[in-house]
Amino acid sequence: MLSNRFWVAGLIALAPVFSSASAGRQMDVIAYFAKARSEDRDGLARKTKIVDVRAAQPGEVVTTIIKGEGKETQSKPAKPGDQVVRNRCAETGNEEYLVAANKFASRYEGPIGSANNDGWQSYRPRGREMRFTLVRERDGSFSFQAPWGEQMVARPGDAIVQDPMNEKDTYRVQGAAFACTYEIIKAPKQS
């Protein structure tokens, strides 16, 4: 849905850039999302853009770096079977993140091509519908604990994404990464 991507991109363009240090306010992100839902400010989206995947080395720590922002998060040490996923999104620097072995098969299918010389293979997201809300300008920046225990910083224009089957699986997707990799199925009410 191309028009939805332009809608999200427009919100991102209006969002100011904040440093991680400016996000000192701690937020209960599940309560934040519940309030957005009660105000009809949540929508549905699914990840659709092909990604690159390689096997994580046991003990490997994956640091997610967002171009123009720096470190977003850092994984716990990888366990056997965990996978490193790399988004194909030049706007964000093709950020990488770790996906646990027990979640990978439900989120990605493939491989859909041969491995390159560095061991990366193309995979297709399964396109599970996820709830999302966009952090508004008036909400400002805030920090919260991601499901894997790492502190995340949310900024205006970012998406807070939640698994409809597990409200504890709620995390931030940087605004440009969301616009680049997700397709909006139902846009939230703007307010």
Side-chain angles (χ1 to χ4, degrees), residues 77-89:
K79 296 178 179 157
D82 289 355
Q83 302 292 315
V84 178
V85 176
R86 179 174 64 194
N87 281 340
R88 293 181 181 178
C89 190

Side-chain angles (χ1 to χ4, degrees), residues 2 9 17 32 38 52 59 72 92 95-96 100 125 135 141 144 149 153 160 165 175:
L2 196 53
V17 177
Y32 174 86
S38 73
D52 300 315
E72 178 185 47
T92 60
E95 74 277 11
E96 299 177 10
V135 179
S141 296
F144 65 94
V153 176
I160 303 297
M165 305 304 287

Side-chain angles (χ1 to χ4, degrees), residues 142-164:
F142 57 87
S143 300
F144 65 94
Q145 187 170 1
W148 52 92
E150 181 81 10
Q151 284 293 304
M152 295 192 92
V153 176
R155 298 173 181 88
D158 289 345
I160 303 297
V161 178
Q162 184 178 75
D163 182 339

Side-chain angles (χ1 to χ4, degrees), residues 99-111:
V99 177
N102 64 345
K103 293 184 177 181
F104 184 79
S106 68
R107 294 184 179 180
Y108 298 95
E109 62 185 359

